[in-house]
Amino acid sequence: MKHSKHRHYKNETRQSYNYGEFVCDVCGQPITEITQAITDPDTGKPIHFDCAHARILEEETLPERSELIYLGKGTFGIVQFENIRNKKKFTILKTIDFELPTDEDNWRNKVKEEFEKTLT
């Protein structure tokens, strides 16, 4: 008889937290996933990630075989692929620092404070 390695986990319920009300200045819609928002460099307020991505695409012209991707820490990049079907090899043509370094009194710190309250 084989021993089963299946583990049984308790059904975990996902608890939602109220981090406050945030509205995207770009599209005017509520930001329901604040942890996926990005800071608008003009206003310092949170906006939808997709709205930031779209804004950059309006301002930039992408060369052939290239895409706008998120590199991390508020930076996007225009990358060009050697082969569009194989995205393993690419060159970063341009970086775009969308999010500027933040100060202590920004919206993320307020979200962080609310989240820390849930841990106690």
Side-chain angles (χ1 to χ4, degrees):
M1 177 182 234
K2 288 188 174 182
H3 178 62
S4 175
K5 291 186 178 183
H6 294 284
R7 293 186 179 144
H8 299 281
Y9 296 100
K10 293 180 182 177
N11 289 339
E12 294 181 17
T13 57
R14 188 173 183 182
Q15 187 175 6
S16 73
Y17 300 104
N18 182 1
Y19 297 113
E21 300 289 325
F22 296 95
V23 175
C24 178
D25 282 349
V26 175
C27 69
Q29 297 296 313
I31 300 173
T32 56
E33 291 294 331
I34 193 64
T35 57
Q36 296 175 9
I38 192 164
T39 303
D40 184 328
D42 297 331
T43 65
K45 295 179 181 178
I47 62 174
H48 293 111
F49 178 88
D50 291 341
C51 290
H53 190 271
R55 181 191 292 176
I56 294 170
L57 286 176
E58 288 175 1
E59 298 170 0
E60 298 289 335
T61 302
L62 300 182
E64 189 176 328
R65 299 185 334 266
S66 67
E67 290 182 16
L68 178 67
I69 64 169
Y70 187 69
L71 300 173
K73 295 190 177 185
T75 302
F76 289 84
I78 297 175
V79 299
Q80 188 170 47
F81 300 97
E82 287 183 23
N83 179 346
I84 198 70
R85 292 186 185 117
N86 180 1
K87 295 187 176 183
K88 291 181 182 178
K89 294 183 180 179
F90 60 89
T91 303
I92 298 174
L93 301 177
K94 181 178 181 179
T95 58
I96 301 160
D97 294 324
F98 191 82
E99 263 187 335
L100 302 175
T102 58
D103 59 14
E104 290 185 23
D105 190 32
N106 72 5
W107 64 271
R108 269 203 185 96
N109 286 335
K110 292 174 180 140
V111 169
K112 181 181 171 188
E113 288 171 10
E114 289 301 315
F115 176 73
E116 287 175 349
K117 290 177 186 176
T118 67
L119 299 176
T120 56

PDB file of all heavy atoms in Angstrom, residues 79-105:
ATOM      1  N   VAL A  79      11.179  47.466 -24.086  1.00  0.00           N
ATOM      2  CA  VAL A  79      12.109  46.388 -24.409  1.00  0.00           C
ATOM      3  C   VAL A  79      11.836  45.880 -25.818  1.00  0.00           C
ATOM      4  O   VAL A  79      10.690  45.836 -26.261  1.00  0.00           O
ATOM      5  CB  VAL A  79      12.029  45.221 -23.392  1.00  0.00           C
ATOM      6  CG1 VAL A  79      12.392  45.700 -21.996  1.00  0.00           C
ATOM      7  CG2 VAL A  79      10.658  44.588 -23.380  1.00  0.00           C
ATOM      8  N   GLN A  80      12.910  45.532 -26.489  1.00  0.00           N
ATOM      9  CA  GLN A  80      12.792  44.991 -27.839  1.00  0.00           C
ATOM     10  C   GLN A  80      13.286  43.551 -27.809  1.00  0.00           C
ATOM     11  O   GLN A  80      14.360  43.264 -27.272  1.00  0.00           O
ATOM     12  CB  GLN A  80      13.611  45.805 -28.827  1.00  0.00           C
ATOM     13  CG  GLN A  80      13.380  45.407 -30.264  1.00  0.00           C
ATOM     14  CD  GLN A  80      14.028  46.391 -31.209  1.00  0.00           C
ATOM     15  OE1 GLN A  80      15.179  46.766 -31.022  1.00  0.00           O
ATOM     16  NE2 GLN A  80      13.280  46.831 -32.202  1.00  0.00           N
ATOM     17  N   PHE A  81      12.482  42.673 -28.373  1.00  0.00           N
ATOM     18  CA  PHE A  81      12.792  41.254 -28.371  1.00  0.00           C
ATOM     19  C   PHE A  81      13.492  40.855 -29.661  1.00  0.00           C
ATOM     20  O   PHE A  81      13.159  41.352 -30.736  1.00  0.00           O
ATOM     21  CB  PHE A  81      11.504  40.433 -28.212  1.00  0.00           C
ATOM     22  CG  PHE A  81      10.776  40.725 -26.936  1.00  0.00           C
ATOM     23  CD1 PHE A  81       9.715  41.612 -26.911  1.00  0.00           C
ATOM     24  CD2 PHE A  81      11.176  40.134 -25.756  1.00  0.00           C
ATOM     25  CE1 PHE A  81       9.051  41.893 -25.735  1.00  0.00           C
ATOM     26  CE2 PHE A  81      10.514  40.413 -24.574  1.00  0.00           C
ATOM     27  CZ  PHE A  81       9.459  41.295 -24.558  1.00  0.00           C
ATOM     28  N   GLU A  82      14.481  39.953 -29.530  1.00  0.00           N
ATOM     29  CA  GLU A  82      15.124  39.409 -30.721  1.00  0.00           C
ATOM     30  C   GLU A  82      14.099  38.660 -31.569  1.00  0.00           C
ATOM     31  O   GLU A  82      14.086  38.760 -32.780  1.00  0.00           O
ATOM     32  CB  GLU A  82      16.274  38.479 -30.336  1.00  0.00           C
ATOM     33  CG  GLU A  82      17.488  39.199 -29.813  1.00  0.00           C
ATOM     34  CD  GLU A  82      18.635  38.254 -29.512  1.00  0.00           C
ATOM     35  OE1 GLU A  82      18.697  37.143 -30.081  1.00  0.00           O
ATOM     36  OE2 GLU A  82      19.483  38.645 -28.699  1.00  0.00           O
ATOM     37  N   ASN A  83      13.254  37.901 -30.877  1.00  0.00           N
ATOM     38  CA  ASN A  83      12.196  37.143 -31.540  1.00  0.00           C
ATOM     39  C   ASN A  83      10.937  37.334 -30.696  1.00  0.00           C
ATOM     40  O   ASN A  83      10.906  36.945 -29.537  1.00  0.00           O
ATOM     41  CB  ASN A  83      12.585  35.658 -31.625  1.00  0.00           C
ATOM     42  CG  ASN A  83      11.524  34.807 -32.275  1.00  0.00           C
ATOM     43  OD1 ASN A  83      10.382  35.224 -32.450  1.00  0.00           O
ATOM     44  ND2 ASN A  83      11.901  33.592 -32.630  1.00  0.00           N
ATOM     45  N   ILE A  84       9.916  37.906 -31.273  1.00  0.00           N
ATOM     46  CA  ILE A  84       8.698  38.233 -30.510  1.00  0.00           C
ATOM     47  C   ILE A  84       8.029  36.975 -29.954  1.00  0.00           C
ATOM     48  O   ILE A  84       7.307  37.029 -28.967  1.00  0.00           O
ATOM     49  CB  ILE A  84       7.715  39.076 -31.359  1.00  0.00           C
ATOM     50  CG1 ILE A  84       6.695  39.790 -30.476  1.00  0.00           C
ATOM     51  CG2 ILE A  84       7.033  38.234 -32.419  1.00  0.00           C
ATOM     52  CD1 ILE A  84       7.242  40.890 -29.655  1.00  0.00           C
ATOM     53  N   ARG A  85       8.288  35.829 -30.566  1.00  0.00           N
ATOM     54  CA  ARG A  85       7.702  34.572 -30.068  1.00  0.00           C
ATOM     55  C   ARG A  85       8.498  33.975 -28.923  1.00  0.00           C
ATOM     56  O   ARG A  85       8.012  33.130 -28.200  1.00  0.00           O
ATOM     57  CB  ARG A  85       7.596  33.566 -31.212  1.00  0.00           C
ATOM     58  CG  ARG A  85       6.578  33.976 -32.252  1.00  0.00           C
ATOM     59  CD  ARG A  85       6.379  32.908 -33.299  1.00  0.00           C
ATOM     60  NE  ARG A  85       5.493  33.404 -34.320  1.00  0.00           N
ATOM     61  CZ  ARG A  85       5.831  33.566 -35.588  1.00  0.00           C
ATOM     62  NH1 ARG A  85       7.029  33.243 -36.005  1.00  0.00           N
ATOM     63  NH2 ARG A  85       4.963  34.044 -36.445  1.00  0.00           N
ATOM     64  N   ASN A  86       9.739  34.375 -28.795  1.00  0.00           N
ATOM     65  CA  ASN A  86      10.595  33.886 -27.725  1.00  0.00           C
ATOM     66  C   ASN A  86      11.077  35.104 -26.938  1.00  0.00           C
ATOM     67  O   ASN A  86      12.009  35.780 -27.346  1.00  0.00           O
ATOM     68  CB  ASN A  86      11.784  33.106 -28.302  1.00  0.00           C
ATOM     69  CG  ASN A  86      12.692  32.591 -27.215  1.00  0.00           C
ATOM     70  OD1 ASN A  86      12.446  32.780 -26.030  1.00  0.00           O
ATOM     71  ND2 ASN A  86      13.762  31.933 -27.615  1.00  0.00           N
ATOM     72  N   LYS A  87      10.443  35.332 -25.815  1.00  0.00           N
ATOM     73  CA  LYS A  87      10.709  36.555 -25.063  1.00  0.00           C
ATOM     74  C   LYS A  87      11.832  36.395 -24.038  1.00  0.00           C
ATOM     75  O   LYS A  87      11.915  37.164 -23.098  1.00  0.00           O
ATOM     76  CB  LYS A  87       9.424  37.040 -24.414  1.00  0.00           C
ATOM     77  CG  LYS A  87       8.398  37.440 -25.461  1.00  0.00           C
ATOM     78  CD  LYS A  87       7.201  38.079 -24.856  1.00  0.00           C
ATOM     79  CE  LYS A  87       6.253  38.539 -25.953  1.00  0.00           C
ATOM     80  NZ  LYS A  87       5.109  39.233 -25.450  1.00  0.00           N
ATOM     81  N   LYS A  88      12.697  35.428 -24.249  1.00  0.00           N
ATOM     82  CA  LYS A  88      13.816  35.233 -23.332  1.00  0.00           C
ATOM     83  C   LYS A  88      14.954  36.207 -23.594  1.00  0.00           C
ATOM     84  O   LYS A  88      15.672  36.581 -22.687  1.00  0.00           O
ATOM     85  CB  LYS A  88      14.328  33.797 -23.420  1.00  0.00           C
ATOM     86  CG  LYS A  88      13.351  32.789 -22.869  1.00  0.00           C
ATOM     87  CD  LYS A  88      13.917  31.403 -22.950  1.00  0.00           C
ATOM     88  CE  LYS A  88      12.908  30.377 -22.437  1.00  0.00           C
ATOM     89  NZ  LYS A  88      13.429  29.022 -22.553  1.00  0.00           N
ATOM     90  N   LYS A  89      15.128  36.602 -24.851  1.00  0.00           N
ATOM     91  CA  LYS A  89      16.217  37.503 -25.203  1.00  0.00           C
ATOM     92  C   LYS A  89      15.650  38.843 -25.630  1.00  0.00           C
ATOM     93  O   LYS A  89      14.886  38.933 -26.581  1.00  0.00           O
ATOM     94  CB  LYS A  89      17.052  36.900 -26.332  1.00  0.00           C
ATOM     95  CG  LYS A  89      17.787  35.647 -25.925  1.00  0.00           C
ATOM     96  CD  LYS A  89      18.653  35.139 -27.046  1.00  0.00           C
ATOM     97  CE  LYS A  89      19.365  33.873 -26.600  1.00  0.00           C
ATOM     98  NZ  LYS A  89      20.199  33.336 -27.695  1.00  0.00           N
ATOM     99  N   PHE A  90      16.049  39.872 -24.907  1.00  0.00           N
ATOM    100  CA  PHE A  90      15.556  41.203 -25.212  1.00  0.00           C
ATOM    101  C   PHE A  90      16.593  42.245 -24.824  1.00  0.00           C
ATOM    102  O   PHE A  90      17.526  41.966 -24.080  1.00  0.00           O
ATOM    103  CB  PHE A  90      14.230  41.480 -24.491  1.00  0.00           C
ATOM    104  CG  PHE A  90      14.321  41.410 -22.997  1.00  0.00           C
ATOM    105  CD1 PHE A  90      14.651  42.527 -22.256  1.00  0.00           C
ATOM    106  CD2 PHE A  90      14.068  40.214 -22.329  1.00  0.00           C
ATOM    107  CE1 PHE A  90      14.728  42.463 -20.872  1.00  0.00           C
ATOM    108  CE2 PHE A  90      14.137  40.139 -20.954  1.00  0.00           C
ATOM    109  CZ  PHE A  90      14.471  41.263 -20.228  1.00  0.00           C
ATOM    110  N   THR A  91      16.397  43.433 -25.321  1.00  0.00           N
ATOM    111  CA  THR A  91      17.248  44.574 -25.014  1.00  0.00           C
ATOM    112  C   THR A  91      16.356  45.677 -24.457  1.00  0.00           C
ATOM    113  O   THR A  91      15.295  45.963 -25.017  1.00  0.00           O
ATOM    114  CB  THR A  91      17.949  45.092 -26.291  1.00  0.00           C
ATOM    115  OG1 THR A  91      18.693  44.018 -26.865  1.00  0.00           O
ATOM    116  CG2 THR A  91      18.879  46.239 -25.990  1.00  0.00           C
ATOM    117  N   ILE A  92      16.783  46.281 -23.377  1.00  0.00           N
ATOM    118  CA  ILE A  92      16.046  47.414 -22.823  1.00  0.00           C
ATOM    119  C   ILE A  92      16.472  48.655 -23.601  1.00  0.00           C
ATOM    120  O   ILE A  92      17.630  49.063 -23.557  1.00  0.00           O
ATOM    121  CB  ILE A  92      16.313  47.592 -21.320  1.00  0.00           C
ATOM    122  CG1 ILE A  92      15.853  46.354 -20.549  1.00  0.00           C
ATOM    123  CG2 ILE A  92      15.618  48.855 -20.800  1.00  0.00           C
ATOM    124  CD1 ILE A  92      16.194  46.377 -19.071  1.00  0.00           C
ATOM    125  N   LEU A  93      15.530  49.213 -24.348  1.00  0.00           N
ATOM    126  CA  LEU A  93      15.822  50.388 -25.165  1.00  0.00           C
ATOM    127  C   LEU A  93      15.731  51.678 -24.364  1.00  0.00           C
ATOM    128  O   LEU A  93      16.464  52.628 -24.614  1.00  0.00           O
ATOM    129  CB  LEU A  93      14.844  50.458 -26.348  1.00  0.00           C
ATOM    130  CG  LEU A  93      14.826  49.263 -27.301  1.00  0.00           C
ATOM    131  CD1 LEU A  93      13.753  49.446 -28.367  1.00  0.00           C
ATOM    132  CD2 LEU A  93      16.187  49.064 -27.938  1.00  0.00           C
ATOM    133  N   LYS A  94      14.797  51.703 -23.419  1.00  0.00           N
ATOM    134  CA  LYS A  94      14.584  52.921 -22.641  1.00  0.00           C
ATOM    135  C   LYS A  94      13.940  52.562 -21.313  1.00  0.00           C
ATOM    136  O   LYS A  94      13.079  51.696 -21.255  1.00  0.00           O
ATOM    137  CB  LYS A  94      13.660  53.865 -23.425  1.00  0.00           C
ATOM    138  CG  LYS A  94      13.364  55.176 -22.746  1.00  0.00           C
ATOM    139  CD  LYS A  94      12.490  56.054 -23.624  1.00  0.00           C
ATOM    140  CE  LYS A  94      12.205  57.384 -22.952  1.00  0.00           C
ATOM    141  NZ  LYS A  94      11.373  58.257 -23.805  1.00  0.00           N
ATOM    142  N   THR A  95      14.362  53.222 -20.258  1.00  0.00           N
ATOM    143  CA  THR A  95      13.684  53.073 -18.969  1.00  0.00           C
ATOM    144  C   THR A  95      12.918  54.361 -18.684  1.00  0.00           C
ATOM    145  O   THR A  95      13.348  55.459 -19.051  1.00  0.00           O
ATOM    146  CB  THR A  95      14.670  52.787 -17.818  1.00  0.00           C
ATOM    147  OG1 THR A  95      15.622  53.836 -17.740  1.00  0.00           O
ATOM    148  CG2 THR A  95      15.369  51.451 -18.014  1.00  0.00           C
ATOM    149  N   ILE A  96      11.778  54.195 -18.043  1.00  0.00           N
ATOM    150  CA  ILE A  96      10.910  55.318 -17.716  1.00  0.00           C
ATOM    151  C   ILE A  96      10.620  55.252 -16.222  1.00  0.00           C
ATOM    152  O   ILE A  96       9.921  54.351 -15.755  1.00  0.00           O
ATOM    153  CB  ILE A  96       9.598  55.255 -18.527  1.00  0.00           C
ATOM    154  CG1 ILE A  96       9.916  55.274 -20.019  1.00  0.00           C
ATOM    155  CG2 ILE A  96       8.662  56.386 -18.132  1.00  0.00           C
ATOM    156  CD1 ILE A  96       8.824  54.749 -20.895  1.00  0.00           C
ATOM    157  N   ASP A  97      11.188  56.195 -15.487  1.00  0.00           N
ATOM    158  CA  ASP A  97      10.955  56.261 -14.047  1.00  0.00           C
ATOM    159  C   ASP A  97       9.620  56.952 -13.822  1.00  0.00           C
ATOM    160  O   ASP A  97       9.543  58.179 -13.784  1.00  0.00           O
ATOM    161  CB  ASP A  97      12.083  57.001 -13.336  1.00  0.00           C
ATOM    162  CG  ASP A  97      13.402  56.262 -13.422  1.00  0.00           C
ATOM    163  OD1 ASP A  97      13.380  55.017 -13.371  1.00  0.00           O
ATOM    164  OD2 ASP A  97      14.442  56.921 -13.558  1.00  0.00           O
ATOM    165  N   PHE A  98       8.575  56.154 -13.689  1.00  0.00           N
ATOM    166  CA  PHE A  98       7.227  56.713 -13.545  1.00  0.00           C
ATOM    167  C   PHE A  98       7.000  57.204 -12.126  1.00  0.00           C
ATOM    168  O   PHE A  98       6.575  58.323 -11.902  1.00  0.00           O
ATOM    169  CB  PHE A  98       6.178  55.662 -13.918  1.00  0.00           C
ATOM    170  CG  PHE A  98       4.796  56.233 -14.044  1.00  0.00           C
ATOM    171  CD1 PHE A  98       4.395  56.857 -15.209  1.00  0.00           C
ATOM    172  CD2 PHE A  98       3.906  56.159 -12.993  1.00  0.00           C
ATOM    173  CE1 PHE A  98       3.128  57.407 -15.330  1.00  0.00           C
ATOM    174  CE2 PHE A  98       2.630  56.696 -13.099  1.00  0.00           C
ATOM    175  CZ  PHE A  98       2.239  57.317 -14.272  1.00  0.00           C
ATOM    176  N   GLU A  99       7.275  56.348 -11.158  1.00  0.00           N
ATOM    177  CA  GLU A  99       7.109  56.725  -9.750  1.00  0.00           C
ATOM    178  C   GLU A  99       8.366  57.414  -9.265  1.00  0.00           C
ATOM    179  O   GLU A  99       9.460  56.887  -9.392  1.00  0.00           O
ATOM    180  CB  GLU A  99       6.886  55.474  -8.887  1.00  0.00           C
ATOM    181  CG  GLU A  99       5.479  55.185  -8.590  1.00  0.00           C
ATOM    182  CD  GLU A  99       5.324  54.043  -7.605  1.00  0.00           C
ATOM    183  OE1 GLU A  99       6.192  53.186  -7.482  1.00  0.00           O
ATOM    184  OE2 GLU A  99       4.283  54.007  -6.968  1.00  0.00           O
ATOM    185  N   LEU A 100       8.198  58.580  -8.705  1.00  0.00           N
ATOM    186  CA  LEU A 100       9.325  59.305  -8.152  1.00  0.00           C
ATOM    187  C   LEU A 100       9.549  58.830  -6.720  1.00  0.00           C
ATOM    188  O   LEU A 100       8.637  58.304  -6.082  1.00  0.00           O
ATOM    189  CB  LEU A 100       9.033  60.805  -8.188  1.00  0.00           C
ATOM    190  CG  LEU A 100       8.724  61.365  -9.587  1.00  0.00           C
ATOM    191  CD1 LEU A 100       8.323  62.834  -9.489  1.00  0.00           C
ATOM    192  CD2 LEU A 100       9.903  61.188 -10.514  1.00  0.00           C
ATOM    193  N   PRO A 101      10.763  59.010  -6.196  1.00  0.00           N
ATOM    194  CA  PRO A 101      10.982  58.637  -4.791  1.00  0.00           C
ATOM    195  C   PRO A 101       9.951  59.325  -3.904  1.00  0.00           C
ATOM    196  O   PRO A 101       9.608  60.490  -4.120  1.00  0.00           O
ATOM    197  CB  PRO A 101      12.386  59.154  -4.495  1.00  0.00           C
ATOM    198  CG  PRO A 101      13.046  59.257  -5.823  1.00  0.00           C
ATOM    199  CD  PRO A 101      11.949  59.572  -6.817  1.00  0.00           C
ATOM    200  N   THR A 102       9.436  58.579  -2.943  1.00  0.00           N
ATOM    201  CA  THR A 102       8.332  59.100  -2.130  1.00  0.00           C
ATOM    202  C   THR A 102       8.818  59.670  -0.812  1.00  0.00           C
ATOM    203  O   THR A 102       9.880  59.317  -0.314  1.00  0.00           O
ATOM    204  CB  THR A 102       7.321  57.981  -1.844  1.00  0.00           C
ATOM    205  OG1 THR A 102       8.007  56.915  -1.189  1.00  0.00           O
ATOM    206  CG2 THR A 102       6.710  57.462  -3.119  1.00  0.00           C
ATOM    207  N   ASP A 103       8.003  60.537  -0.270  1.00  0.00           N
ATOM    208  CA  ASP A 103       8.291  61.061   1.055  1.00  0.00           C
ATOM    209  C   ASP A 103       7.518  60.248   2.087  1.00  0.00           C
ATOM    210  O   ASP A 103       6.817  59.302   1.752  1.00  0.00           O
ATOM    211  CB  ASP A 103       7.958  62.549   1.142  1.00  0.00           C
ATOM    212  CG  ASP A 103       6.497  62.840   0.829  1.00  0.00           C
ATOM    213  OD1 ASP A 103       5.700  61.889   0.803  1.00  0.00           O
ATOM    214  OD2 ASP A 103       6.160  64.017   0.623  1.00  0.00           O
ATOM    215  N   GLU A 104       7.661  60.620   3.331  1.00  0.00           N
ATOM    216  CA  GLU A 104       7.050  59.828   4.397  1.00  0.00           C
ATOM    217  C   GLU A 104       5.538  59.987   4.471  1.00  0.00           C
ATOM    218  O   GLU A 104       4.864  59.156   5.048  1.00  0.00           O
ATOM    219  CB  GLU A 104       7.677  60.209   5.741  1.00  0.00           C
ATOM    220  CG  GLU A 104       9.107  59.740   5.856  1.00  0.00           C
ATOM    221  CD  GLU A 104       9.675  60.010   7.234  1.00  0.00           C
ATOM    222  OE1 GLU A 104       8.906  60.134   8.195  1.00  0.00           O
ATOM    223  OE2 GLU A 104      10.895  60.094   7.339  1.00  0.00           O
ATOM    224  N   ASP A 105       5.007  61.041   3.918  1.00  0.00           N
ATOM    225  CA  ASP A 105       3.579  61.302   4.041  1.00  0.00           C
ATOM    226  C   ASP A 105       2.844  60.992   2.737  1.00  0.00           C
ATOM    227  O   ASP A 105       2.099  61.796   2.226  1.00  0.00           O
ATOM    228  CB  ASP A 105       3.347  62.765   4.438  1.00  0.00           C
ATOM    229  CG  ASP A 105       1.895  63.007   4.814  1.00  0.00           C
ATOM    230  OD1 ASP A 105       1.254  62.099   5.346  1.00  0.00           O
ATOM    231  OD2 ASP A 105       1.405  64.116   4.542  1.00  0.00           O
TER     232      ASP A 105
END
